[in-house]
Amino acid sequence: MAGKVTRDDVARLAGVSTATVSYVVNNGPRPVARRTQQNVREAIEKLGYEPDGVARSLVTRRTRSIGFIVPDILNPAHTAITRALGDALWDADYSLTLGNSDENPERELACLRAFRGRGVDGVALTPGGGNLGALFALHESGRPLVLLDRQIEGLPANCVLFENRGGTRAAVEHLIELGHRRIGLINLPAALTPGRERRDGYLDALAAAGLRHDPALIREGGFKGGGDNPGRRLEGRLLAADLLDRRDPPTALFVSNNRLMRGVLHLLRERGLRVPADLALATFDDMEYYEDITPSITAVDTSLQEFGQQVARLLLEQIEQGQNGREPRVIRVPFRLNIRESTRGT
Amino acid sequence: MAGKVTRDDVARLAGVSTATVSYVVNNGPRPVARRTQQNVREAIEKLGYEPDGVARSLVTRRTRSIGFIVPDILNPAHTAITRALGDALWDADYSLTLGNSDENPERELACLRAFRGRGVDGVALTPGGGNLGALFALHESGRPLVLLDRQIEGLPANCVLFENRGGTRAAVEHLIELGHRRIGLINLPAALTPGRERRDGYLDALAAAGLRHDPALIREGGFKGGGDNPGRRLEGRLLAADLLDRRDPPTALFVSNNRLMRGVLHLLRERGLRVPADLALATFDDMEYYEDITPSITAVDTSLQEFGQQVARLLLEQIEQGQNGREPRVIRVPFRLNIRESTRGT
DNA sequence: TTGAAAGCGCTAACAA
DNA sequence: TTGTTAGCGCTTTCAA
């Protein structure tokens, strides 16, 4: 506040030009005599000078910050990705500015605009499906952009995805190996990448085992991910109840994400179902508490940490080297199936 | 990128001065004739002009961004606070820049520095206990600062706290009402505000019921909150096991936070304990999944959303009105005891 | 009601 | 090896 120390003060005290101070502070781009460096450093120390990032940004046109739009950071999967992304960016001296879209296209657009206004050096987001115009424009402007979890038809942007299909297939095959023949699927909407690919993985597993697929065993949520809409909170509960109330109910369930799974857990408690005796359960997204609760839950562990790191890598690569007409990269983060009591028993 | 549209272009096209464009864009501080406004707006529209936030910040010395340092955003309690804070700031047209300290004083300091360099308009953090010098300096510089969850001796900064004492007392009284006489406490380190106050609330409840307090029933973690140190992940498990292995074990446990609680849940599963028959359980921090799992968990619900909102309020108040020598505000966020199966049974 | 112009603190091109 | 200086895009004082 009071009387900010600027580079001029340092230059004066050290008896050099402001340019020299700049070269010392930034370690370049041109060399400075050792002796002079000394003097400047001392002056900086004595005055308690700190460079002003805003002024620097104005001339370099870089802010060393990344805008990150997440549908809902309350979803533990997004939290973990945010954490990993933030850490990786931090290591590269970038900071993370957060925006919640709540799966609301207007909010998403508002975030995009706000980020541009603030001059972020890149944007990462889980696109809600709208705002195609803005996203194409953003991509065409050459600004670093990374899509998470969902691809956008025709938009050749870098993208990080889960092994949706392979992970789901592995989990369902595991259920099949345990002897299950009627396996229900509580799925995300198949309109977006994760729902579509997880459904395909489920079908793959059935087909590979020579099981006929009964469409009546698939239930699909109408919800796309974020927000705290209470009606949707336990959507998984409704869908699972629906399935279990059939005259010929499944003996096992694969649940496509952690939000749906919460609803299913809720239902288990309400009905006092024994797991895996009455119903075996496997799910996508491995939450930390799945290994603490009773029964512990078999889950496809998607390495959220690596996911976040890859997003950072793509972003930094683009910032430092530009896209250079390179083909867009689509990275799949590997998975691991964590088998626990909800399928294997105690 | 290519040929950015600046205010000069707009001024030229509209046939006015750059100052006028500025007044139109900012709606002030001086009036502009309706007719002129029209012209300027049209020019802006036609050129697709967008103000440059960085340049504006350089002159206004405001960035409309807040730096937020959290020990570990993976802790769902912090996530929820972050979300609420971010939303409230967003509504006021501020953005949130995130830093994870991991309870590491060096990282905390690095965040503080980075934030200053980036010119944030205010800082909110859960202080780790170190960096006293930097925090006092920050506060004295007059920059908006809000402390979360932990007070710092002698630092008269605005602060938002939980009703640690009252909430814990209510939960323990609930256990006493259910007939429990030997109630264990798995606590956070009493060196910091939450641990100290929760312990006091526990003692309050015992005293009010005329129960003698047995120090052997209190176990205290050594951990201060963040990070993913695997050894600490299930600290609650060790502490609880220790307590239950006594010849005269408690019949109920109050667990001071969600991280410790995860360890306790893990232990329940390992030992096949029936809750609440073998052991009744109540905890501080109400996680969403506590109402979905079996048994559902009785918890002190601390309204994380309101917590985040209060942080935002304090911050914005300080930014807009300055502290003006006002007394520092210490806000306590109310709680609610959510009674569920882990104490009351099914 | 409006224009001209002086900076905000910094980087880097141009000179020396 | 170092100094001088022209901006970066914007806000706002001073004049008109």
Side-chain angles (χ1 to χ4, degrees):
Chain A
M1 303 260 110
K4 172 157 192 164
V5 179
T6 80
R7 197 204 36 183
D8 283 4
D9 303 314
V10 176
R12 204 169 309 121
L13 180 60
V16 299
S17 74
T18 58
T20 301
V21 177
S22 189
Y23 299 132
V24 172
V25 169
N26 299 332
N27 255 312
R30 91 184 176 195
V32 175
R34 276 187 94 59
R35 186 61 209 282
T36 316
Q37 287 200 28
Q38 267 297 350
N39 290 338
V40 173
R41 293 243 162 67
E42 275 164 20
I44 286 174
E45 187 71 23
K46 198 168 306 175
L47 296 173
Y49 167 75
E50 296 188 72
D52 180 323
V54 174
R56 175 182 287 166
S57 290
L58 181 59
V59 32
T60 60
R61 312 270 55 185
R62 296 296 207 82
T63 55
R64 299 201 83 83
S65 70
I66 295 293
F68 184 44
I69 306 177
V70 94
D72 179 14
I73 198 170
L74 290 178
N75 182 326
H78 295 142
T79 314
I81 291 171
T82 304
R83 170 77 212 245
L85 173 59
D87 283 357
L89 291 176
W90 173 262
D91 289 342
D93 196 27
Y94 278 80
S95 68
L96 221 217
T97 296
L98 199 62
N100 281 97
S101 71
D102 257 337
E103 297 284 356
N104 174 339
E106 276 136 50
R107 275 189 71 119
E108 184 178 284
L109 186 59
C111 286
L112 251 14
R113 272 203 235 283
F115 287 162
R116 193 167 22 172
R118 292 188 156 94
V120 298
D121 294 344
V123 170
L125 84 163
T126 301
N131 299 136
L132 262 28
L135 289 173
F136 274 87
L138 177 57
H139 177 254
E140 265 143 37
S141 78
R143 269 174 192 294
L145 168 67
V146 174
L147 264 26
L148 283 75
D149 196 32
R150 302 172 188 165
Q151 281 187 291
I152 293 180
E153 184 98 22
L155 213 204
N158 288 338
C159 185
V160 181
L161 299 171
F162 295 116
E163 268 290 358
N164 294 306
R165 190 163 181 166
T168 303
R169 175 176 175 156
V172 176
E173 282 179 341
H174 166 63
L175 290 169
I176 293 172
E177 273 165 29
L178 291 171
H180 294 281
R181 289 299 169 264
R182 294 186 62 70
I183 301 173
L185 172 65
I186 308 285
N187 201 199
L188 293 164
L192 297 172
T193 310
R196 188 174 57 247
E197 295 185 345
R198 290 174 198 180
R199 186 203 54 204
D200 289 346
Y202 165 86
L203 296 176
D204 285 350
L206 296 186
L211 293 178
R212 226 207 28 246
H213 139 242
D214 179 356
L217 291 183
I218 299 186
R219 285 293 179 284
E220 190 176 290
F223 187 45
K224 299 193 292 179
D228 200 24
N229 186 323
R232 280 157 169 176
R233 204 177 50 88
L234 296 178
E235 190 178 45
R237 168 162 158 256
L238 296 176
L239 297 174
D242 197 34
L243 223 41
L244 296 180
D245 288 340
R246 291 170 49 83
R247 66 259 114 226
D248 190 4
T251 63
L253 240 40
F254 181 81
V255 184
S256 261
N257 86 342
N258 68 76
R259 185 182 52 80
L260 293 166
M261 189 61 182
R262 277 188 49 210
V264 174
L265 290 175
H266 200 95
L267 184 72
L268 298 184
R269 186 164 65 68
E270 280 179 341
R271 301 204 171 177
L273 290 173
R274 287 164 311 142
V275 171
D278 298 336
L279 184 70
L281 276 177
T283 186
F284 210 98
D285 286 343
D286 196 10
M287 299 294 97
E288 295 195 324
Y289 65 86
Y290 284 174
E291 56 177 332
D292 300 320
I293 64 178
T294 310
S296 55
I297 307 293
T298 293
V300 178
D301 178 349
T302 46
S303 186
L304 301 170
Q305 189 172 339
E306 178 168 350
F307 194 103
Q309 288 167 347
Q310 294 287 7
V311 174
R313 228 197 62 216
L314 252 26
L315 236 19
L316 295 172
E317 203 173 280
Q318 247 182 108
I319 289 174
E320 276 147 29
Q321 311 164 25
Q323 190 63 7
N324 287 331
R326 231 179 311 186
E327 280 295 291
R329 316 273 233 65
V330 175
I331 292 183
R332 292 277 177 178
V333 168
F335 70 92
R336 202 176 66 183
L337 182 61
N338 285 143
I339 296 174
R340 303 207 184 89
E341 294 169 356
S342 70
T343 53
R344 134 174 82 56
T346 324
Chain B
M1 302 259 110
K4 172 156 192 165
V5 180
T6 79
R7 197 203 35 183
D8 284 6
D9 303 312
V10 176
R12 204 169 308 121
L13 180 60
V16 298
S17 74
T18 58
T20 301
V21 178
S22 189
Y23 299 133
V24 171
V25 169
N26 299 331
N27 254 313
R30 94 182 173 197
V32 176
R34 274 187 97 59
R35 186 58 209 283
T36 315
Q37 287 201 29
Q38 268 297 350
N39 290 338
V40 173
R41 292 242 162 70
E42 275 164 21
I44 288 175
E45 187 70 22
K46 199 168 305 175
L47 296 173
Y49 166 75
E50 295 188 73
D52 180 323
V54 174
R56 174 182 287 168
S57 291
L58 181 59
V59 31
T60 61
R61 313 269 56 182
R62 296 295 210 81
T63 55
R64 299 201 81 86
S65 71
I66 296 294
F68 185 43
I69 307 177
V70 94
D72 178 15
I73 197 170
L74 290 178
N75 181 326
H78 295 142
T79 315
I81 291 171
T82 304
R83 169 77 211 244
L85 173 59
D87 282 357
L89 291 176
W90 173 263
D91 289 342
D93 197 27
Y94 278 79
S95 69
L96 220 216
T97 295
L98 200 61
N100 279 96
S101 70
D102 258 338
E103 297 285 354
N104 174 340
E106 276 136 51
R107 274 188 72 117
E108 183 177 284
L109 187 59
C111 285
L112 250 15
R113 272 202 234 284
F115 286 162
R116 194 169 22 178
R118 290 189 158 89
V120 298
D121 294 344
V123 171
L125 85 162
T126 300
N131 298 138
L132 262 26
L135 288 174
F136 275 88
L138 177 56
H139 178 253
E140 266 144 35
S141 78
R143 268 174 192 293
L145 168 67
V146 174
L147 265 27
L148 282 75
D149 197 30
R150 302 172 188 165
Q151 279 186 293
I152 293 179
E153 185 99 20
L155 213 203
N158 288 337
C159 185
V160 181
L161 299 171
F162 294 117
E163 268 289 358
N164 295 306
R165 190 162 179 168
T168 304
R169 175 175 176 160
V172 176
E173 282 179 341
H174 167 62
L175 291 169
I176 293 173
E177 272 166 30
L178 291 171
H180 294 282
R181 291 296 171 265
R182 293 187 62 72
I183 301 172
L185 173 66
I186 309 286
N187 201 197
L188 294 164
L192 297 172
T193 311
R196 188 174 58 247
E197 296 185 345
R198 290 174 198 180
R199 185 202 55 203
D200 289 346
Y202 164 86
L203 296 177
D204 285 350
L206 296 187
L211 293 178
R212 227 205 28 245
H213 139 242
D214 180 355
L217 291 183
I218 299 186
R219 286 290 179 285
E220 190 176 291
F223 186 46
K224 299 195 292 176
D228 201 22
N229 185 322
R232 282 161 166 175
R233 206 176 50 86
L234 295 179
E235 191 179 43
R237 169 162 157 254
L238 297 175
L239 297 173
D242 196 33
L243 223 42
L244 295 180
D245 288 341
R246 291 171 47 83
R247 66 260 113 224
D248 191 4
T251 62
L253 239 43
F254 182 81
V255 184
S256 260
N257 85 343
N258 68 76
R259 186 183 50 81
L260 293 165
M261 189 62 184
R262 277 189 48 211
V264 174
L265 289 175
H266 200 94
L267 183 73
L268 297 185
R269 187 164 65 66
E270 281 178 342
R271 300 204 172 178
L273 290 174
R274 287 165 312 143
V275 171
D278 298 336
L279 184 70
L281 275 178
T283 186
F284 209 99
D285 286 343
D286 195 12
M287 299 294 96
E288 294 196 325
Y289 65 86
Y290 285 174
E291 56 176 332
D292 300 320
I293 65 177
T294 308
S296 55
I297 307 292
T298 293
V300 178
D301 177 349
T302 46
S303 186
L304 301 170
Q305 188 172 340
E306 180 168 348
F307 194 103
Q309 289 166 346
Q310 294 288 7
V311 174
R313 229 197 60 215
L314 252 27
L315 236 19
L316 295 172
E317 202 173 280
Q318 247 182 110
I319 290 174
E320 276 149 27
Q321 309 163 25
Q323 189 64 6
N324 286 331
R326 231 179 313 185
E327 280 295 293
R329 317 274 233 64
V330 175
I331 292 182
R332 293 276 178 180
V333 167
F335 70 94
R336 202 177 66 183
L337 181 63
N338 285 142
I339 296 175
R340 303 204 183 91
E341 294 169 356
S342 70
T343 53
R344 142 175 74 58
T346 324

